[in-house]
Amino acid sequence: MSWGTELWDQFDNLEKHTQWGIDVLEKYIKFVKERTEIELSYAKQLRNLSKKYQPKKNSKEEEEYRYTSTRAFLATLNEMNDYAGQHEVISENMTSLITGELTRYVQELKQERKSHFHDGRKAQQHIETCWKQLEASKRRFERDCKEADRAQQYFEKMDADINVTKADVEKARQQAQLRHQMAEDSKAEYSSTLQKFNSEQHEHYYTHIPSIFQKIQEMEERRIVRIGESMKTFAEVDRQVIPIIGKCLDEITKAAESVDHKNDSQMVIEAFKSGFEPPGDIEFEDFTQPMKRTVSETSLSNSRADGRSEPKFGGKSKGKLWPFIKKNKLMSLLTSPHQPPPPPPASASPSAVPNGPQSPKQQKEPLSHRFNEFMTSKPKIHCFRSLKRGLSLKLGAGPEDFSNLPPEQRRKKLQQKVDELNRDIQKEMDQRDALTKMKDVYIKNPQMGDAASVDQRLAELGQNIEKLRLEVQKFEGWLAEVEGRLPARSEQARRQSGLYEAQNTSAMNSCAQDRESSPDGSYTEEQSQETEMKVPATDFDDEFDDEEPLPTIGTCKALYTFEGQNEGTISVAEGEMLYVIEEDKGDGWTRIRRNEDEEGYVPTSYVEVYLDKNAKDS
């Protein structure tokens, strides 16, 4: 089946059909090109999506990716980035293997088609020229035959006419012979031209045109095969990346299967565990007797202590429940004497009413009021380790030793800091080793450099390493302190602890019967069964020896003698000058300090207060 034999007369239709084939090929090229653009756009959008949800470096969000679920999500984002890369590979391969190749092929195809149809038109023009020559020869032969016939008839007429001269008859005869000769010549020429045309026509329709049409057929078949191969390549390009995409999906599945809810729950415990003991039950208050607020061993008391309870004192000390309590602030947290201050004595006599009875106008609040106050009141900032520390907590800047954190969190932060410093030391040591080797090379080969030029840098590195080691020792000391690995405390700390024990044993023993609210809402602990208060040195004081005392805000003069017998109070003598460290909060008590180890509350009416100007302004 050949176009040359079957379609010998369909030159124009073949020309249209081949042009349509080229249009189809160009349309397919355009389709593939748009597909590559879609793949690139999709890959770009996937990369942007992955980047959008990636955690920012050195941010809090990055710390959240330690959980298995968030790590699985991060793995998914990374795999989606690789997934996007495979779509870029699809686009690149389609561009190079299909779009580029077919574009070059179309140009070649157009040139080949143009050449074939040019040859076809040339052959067609040649046969048309032969046909015209044949037609001209035929018309000339026909004309000569007619002329010869007329000349013969004229001769015969002249020959029959008796009136015509012999000369005229001879002339007519010669003219008739001439015409006959011309007709014979035209006949011979026509016959020759006809034979030539038939030969050319046969060669045209059986040789030239089939050959040209065969080339056009082959060209068209190659185009069809080429577009089929391109479609196959189109599918193969996709199929080549399927294994890699499958691996990406397998990794996402693997990451999803690695999610461990138990592990995440344990990490939440490690992240937020404070190390404190939960508060115990609230004791029953008997309103049939004069209301006394019993000090519970794990009482919630008032929320103004910011949710921190007192250390438990007793024969078997369980250590600190709430660590943010400074030793020299314990009197504040046991706080004011848990009762309204006594009225000033009627006279200025030193012995007048040393610790007078409660004012009859002062009524105790029922437990429900106290509980409501606990639920609604806000923590007072002076219940933290210090006012400065409280402000730093609010502003988000903690102390260097992380003492503002609960014990467990503090230990973790200190450990992280120690590890970080050790890494910095290792980096500095690596740099020092490299410079030392460089110096040795310079010493052996002076032409390579001056050995003295690295001495300054080596000295700087040595200083940096020494500083970092001191920092490590400091943080390791704090870490050992938190973990209870430090040796016994210094003699001074033991003396302070012993003094505190002696001053407060009787007060704590009385707390079991007299649990009352302090002026600043601090918490107190109940000692219901034990009769002695023991403060183990390594359980309470060692962590807070480095705390600064509350600043003084003024001075005061004792107007009367006051015998402080309840916990949190301090005895003063008439005329004694003392420091004021906390104003009256509206409860009738002022907090004062005699020296570094003695401070407590006295009735405001017993002293004359002189506040500093700065304290008044603040």
Side-chain angles (χ1 to χ4, degrees):
M1 184 175 61
S2 172
W3 287 6
T5 56
E6 302 293 336
L7 302 175
W8 60 271
D9 57 344
Q10 299 297 321
F11 183 87
D12 293 337
N13 288 332
L14 288 180
E15 187 176 18
K16 293 178 182 178
H17 176 76
T18 53
Q19 181 60 45
W20 170 82
I22 291 176
D23 293 341
V24 169
L25 192 57
E26 290 178 335
K27 185 184 295 185
Y28 183 73
I29 293 172
K30 186 178 180 181
F31 158 74
V32 176
K33 188 177 293 185
E34 290 184 4
R35 164 73 189 276
T36 60
E37 293 173 356
I38 291 173
E39 292 291 341
L40 280 179
S41 176
Y42 181 51
K44 183 179 180 180
Q45 291 179 11
L46 284 179
R47 289 192 184 277
N48 291 338
L49 180 66
S50 177
K51 183 178 179 181
K52 177 181 177 182
Y53 287 95
Q54 286 281 354
K56 297 179 177 62
K57 292 185 177 180
N58 301 323
S59 66
K60 183 179 179 182
E61 184 181 359
E62 190 176 25
E63 296 178 1
E64 296 174 354
Y65 278 80
R66 63 182 182 273
Y67 298 102
T68 58
S69 56
T70 48
R71 284 205 305 269
F73 178 52
L74 184 59
T76 301
L77 295 178
N78 294 332
E79 293 301 328
M80 288 304 296
N81 208 32
D82 296 340
Y83 186 89
Q86 297 310 306
H87 285 277
E88 291 175 347
V89 170
I90 291 175
S91 176
E92 293 172 1
N93 290 341
M94 285 186 176
T95 301
S96 61
L97 299 178
I98 300 178
T99 307
E101 292 294 330
L102 286 184
T103 301
R104 288 191 293 270
Y105 177 71
V106 165
Q107 297 301 323
E108 297 172 358
L109 188 65
K110 288 181 177 180
Q111 292 295 330
E112 184 180 1
R113 175 180 175 277
K114 183 179 179 181
S115 174
H116 292 328
F117 280 98
H118 176 73
D119 293 343
R121 288 191 186 91
K122 188 176 179 180
Q124 195 169 5
Q125 288 174 359
H126 176 71
I127 197 67
E128 286 177 357
T129 301
C130 292
W131 171 256
K132 289 178 182 178
Q133 291 176 356
L134 177 64
E135 285 294 320
S137 178
K138 179 181 177 181
R139 284 194 299 271
R140 188 165 51 251
F141 172 60
E142 182 181 6
R143 184 179 67 249
D144 289 345
C145 287
K146 288 179 180 180
E147 290 290 336
D149 187 50
R150 282 196 298 270
Q152 183 63 32
Q153 290 178 0
Y154 180 73
F155 167 71
E156 290 177 356
K157 182 179 177 181
M158 291 293 291
D159 187 44
D161 190 355
I162 59 173
N163 295 323
V164 178
T165 63
K166 188 176 179 178
D168 291 336
V169 172
E170 185 63 24
K171 183 178 180 181
R173 186 181 60 78
Q174 291 178 356
Q175 186 69 27
Q177 290 178 352
L178 179 62
R179 292 296 179 183
H180 277 289
Q181 185 62 39
M182 290 177 64
E184 288 295 330
D185 292 340
S186 297
K187 179 180 178 181
E189 182 184 358
Y190 170 66
S191 177
S192 174
T193 303
L194 180 61
Q195 291 177 2
K196 183 180 179 181
F197 174 79
N198 288 335
S199 175
E200 291 288 343
Q201 181 176 259
H202 184 276
E203 187 176 358
H204 174 77
Y205 287 111
Y206 289 95
T207 303
H208 294 315
I209 289 298
S211 175
I212 293 171
F213 280 14
Q214 183 65 31
K215 293 178 181 179
I216 294 174
Q217 181 181 356
E218 292 174 356
M219 177 194 71
E220 182 67 10
E221 289 175 352
R222 286 197 306 272
R223 179 195 68 82
I224 295 171
V225 171
R226 191 63 176 267
I227 195 170
E229 292 176 348
S230 299
M231 292 177 181
K232 184 178 179 181
T233 304
F234 183 87
E236 287 297 326
V237 167
D238 261 343
R239 187 175 287 111
Q240 286 174 0
V241 301
I242 286 177
I244 303 177
I245 292 177
K247 289 182 179 179
C248 294
L249 299 178
D250 290 342
E251 290 297 324
I252 294 175
T253 303
K254 183 178 178 181
E257 292 173 350
S258 69
V259 174
D260 186 353
H261 59 284
K262 295 293 184 182
N263 184 64
D264 283 5
S265 298
Q266 182 61 34
M267 292 182 71
V268 173
I269 294 175
E270 294 176 0
F272 302 111
K273 181 180 178 181
S274 66
F276 297 150
E277 296 288 340
D281 298 335
I282 298 176
E283 294 292 330
F284 175 77
E285 297 188 30
D286 190 357
F287 291 96
T288 59
Q289 298 177 359
M291 178 179 173
K292 293 181 180 180
R293 188 177 179 190
T294 307
V295 181
S296 175
E297 192 174 290
T298 53
S299 172
L300 283 174
S301 186
N302 197 306
S303 65
R304 294 181 182 176
D306 196 23
R308 301 168 184 172
S309 80
E310 291 290 294
K312 181 177 178 181
F313 303 100
K316 296 181 180 179
S317 175
K318 294 183 180 179
K320 302 180 291 294
L321 297 182
W322 305 91
F324 309 117
I325 306 172
K326 185 177 174 182
K327 180 183 66 178
N328 56 16
K329 293 182 184 178
L330 184 59
M331 297 299 290
S332 168
L333 296 176
L334 292 175
T335 64
S336 58
H338 309 305
Q339 62 182 18
S347 65
S349 171
S351 61
V353 192
N355 197 354
Q358 299 180 7
S359 171
K361 296 181 181 180
Q362 297 287 343
Q363 298 294 329
K364 294 292 181 182
E365 294 179 317
L367 179 61
S368 59
H369 291 182
R370 286 292 178 183
F371 189 72
N372 289 336
E373 182 182 6
F374 165 73
M375 296 299 291
T376 59
S377 62
K378 295 182 178 179
K380 291 187 178 180
I381 205 165
H382 65 266
C383 292
F384 289 102
R385 298 169 70 91
S386 65
L387 179 62
K388 179 179 178 181
R389 177 146 303 162
L391 288 173
S392 70
L393 286 173
K394 275 195 170 184
L395 297 174
E400 186 183 15
D401 62 350
F402 305 108
S403 53
N404 60 311
L405 298 176
E408 184 67 21
Q409 302 304 314
R410 183 187 181 198
R411 182 192 64 76
K412 291 178 62 179
K413 288 289 185 181
L414 289 172
Q415 186 63 56
Q416 291 175 5
K417 187 67 175 179
V418 169
D419 295 340
E420 179 183 346
L421 290 171
N422 285 329
R423 287 193 295 270
D424 293 341
I425 290 175
Q426 187 60 43
K427 290 180 183 178
E428 296 289 329
M429 292 178 68
D430 292 342
Q431 293 185 26
R432 185 181 65 179
D433 294 342
L435 286 176
T436 303
K437 292 179 181 178
M438 184 185 295
K439 182 178 178 180
D440 293 340
V441 172
Y442 288 167
I443 292 174
K444 295 178 181 178
N445 302 284
Q447 68 274 11
M448 297 184 66
D450 184 11
S453 62
V454 298
D455 288 341
Q456 182 180 357
R457 179 57 181 162
L458 283 172
E460 292 178 0
L461 289 173
Q463 293 175 1
N464 292 342
I465 291 173
E466 188 61 30
K467 290 179 182 178
L468 289 172
R469 283 174 175 168
L470 291 175
E471 286 289 312
V472 169
Q473 290 177 5
K474 180 172 65 175
F475 280 95
E476 284 180 342
W478 286 330
L479 181 61
E481 180 183 351
V482 173
E483 294 178 347
R485 293 188 283 106
L486 280 181
R489 294 175 305 156
S490 63
E491 186 65 23
Q492 180 182 359
R494 287 198 296 269
R495 284 201 302 270
Q496 291 176 352
S497 176
L499 176 62
Y500 174 77
E501 259 185 57
Q503 289 180 342
N504 293 281
T505 301
S506 60
M508 288 301 297
N509 287 339
S510 65
C511 283
Q513 290 81 27
D514 299 323
R515 184 165 70 89
E516 297 177 349
S517 63
S518 61
D520 63 344
S522 300
Y523 299 162
T524 58
E525 297 290 337
E526 183 189 24
Q527 181 91 12
S528 58
Q529 295 178 353
E530 292 87 326
T531 58
E532 294 181 0
M533 179 182 72
K534 297 181 180 179
V535 185
T538 58
D539 273 350
F540 182 72
D541 290 348
D542 55 355
E543 192 170 338
F544 310 106
D545 285 340
D546 60 340
E547 293 301 323
E548 298 177 359
L550 286 175
T552 59
I553 60 174
T555 58
C556 68
K557 179 181 179 181
L559 301 177
Y560 314 101
T561 297
F562 175 72
E563 296 293 337
Q565 296 180 354
N566 294 333
E567 74 267 21
T569 61
I570 185 173
S571 299
V572 297
E574 182 179 356
E576 184 178 1
M577 295 298 296
L578 305 116
Y579 296 103
V580 178
I581 59 176
E582 190 175 299
E583 289 186 82
D584 186 350
K585 302 296 183 181
D587 54 4
W589 295 92
T590 298
R591 188 175 176 185
I592 63 173
R593 177 185 295 139
R594 176 176 288 110
N595 52 46
E596 186 176 342
D597 296 326
E598 293 185 75
E599 63 181 50
Y601 286 89
V602 296
T604 305
S605 57
Y606 276 60
V607 294
E608 184 175 358
V609 178
Y610 309 98
L611 293 178
D612 294 340
K613 183 178 179 180
N614 292 337
K616 291 180 181 179
D617 294 340
S618 62

PDB file of all heavy atoms in Angstrom, residues 15 100 138 248 529:
ATOM      1  N   GLU A  15      -0.818  17.429   0.585  1.00  0.00           N
ATOM      2  CA  GLU A  15      -0.152  18.642   1.094  1.00  0.00           C
ATOM      3  C   GLU A  15      -0.878  19.178   2.331  1.00  0.00           C
ATOM      4  O   GLU A  15      -0.263  19.537   3.338  1.00  0.00           O
ATOM      5  CB  GLU A  15      -0.108  19.693  -0.006  1.00  0.00           C
ATOM      6  CG  GLU A  15       0.707  20.915   0.376  1.00  0.00           C
ATOM      7  CD  GLU A  15       0.815  21.888  -0.771  1.00  0.00           C
ATOM      8  OE1 GLU A  15      -0.003  21.798  -1.717  1.00  0.00           O
ATOM      9  OE2 GLU A  15       1.704  22.750  -0.731  1.00  0.00           O
ATOM     10  N   GLY A 100      12.354  19.826  23.735  1.00  0.00           N
ATOM     11  CA  GLY A 100      13.508  20.232  22.929  1.00  0.00           C
ATOM     12  C   GLY A 100      13.688  19.374  21.694  1.00  0.00           C
ATOM     13  O   GLY A 100      13.913  19.890  20.583  1.00  0.00           O
ATOM     14  N   LYS A 138      -0.656  19.490 -31.874  1.00  0.00           N
ATOM     15  CA  LYS A 138      -1.927  18.960 -32.367  1.00  0.00           C
ATOM     16  C   LYS A 138      -2.710  20.038 -33.096  1.00  0.00           C
ATOM     17  O   LYS A 138      -3.273  19.796 -34.190  1.00  0.00           O
ATOM     18  CB  LYS A 138      -2.732  18.415 -31.185  1.00  0.00           C
ATOM     19  CG  LYS A 138      -4.091  17.869 -31.569  1.00  0.00           C
ATOM     20  CD  LYS A 138      -4.819  17.381 -30.329  1.00  0.00           C
ATOM     21  CE  LYS A 138      -6.209  16.892 -30.677  1.00  0.00           C
ATOM     22  NZ  LYS A 138      -6.944  16.434 -29.465  1.00  0.00           N
ATOM     23  N   CYS A 248       9.911   8.567  49.283  1.00  0.00           N
ATOM     24  CA  CYS A 248       9.486   9.731  50.080  1.00  0.00           C
ATOM     25  C   CYS A 248       8.232   9.390  50.880  1.00  0.00           C
ATOM     26  O   CYS A 248       8.140   9.699  52.077  1.00  0.00           O
ATOM     27  CB  CYS A 248       9.235  10.928  49.171  1.00  0.00           C
ATOM     28  SG  CYS A 248      10.710  11.578  48.356  1.00  0.00           S
ATOM     29  N   GLN A 529       1.946  16.901 114.530  1.00  0.00           N
ATOM     30  CA  GLN A 529       2.323  15.780 115.370  1.00  0.00           C
ATOM     31  C   GLN A 529       3.691  15.961 115.996  1.00  0.00           C
ATOM     32  O   GLN A 529       3.926  15.528 117.111  1.00  0.00           O
ATOM     33  CB  GLN A 529       2.320  14.498 114.536  1.00  0.00           C
ATOM     34  CG  GLN A 529       0.921  14.147 114.028  1.00  0.00           C
ATOM     35  CD  GLN A 529       0.965  12.891 113.172  1.00  0.00           C
ATOM     36  OE1 GLN A 529       2.013  12.380 112.866  1.00  0.00           O
ATOM     37  NE2 GLN A 529      -0.205  12.410 112.830  1.00  0.00           N
TER      38      GLN A 529
END
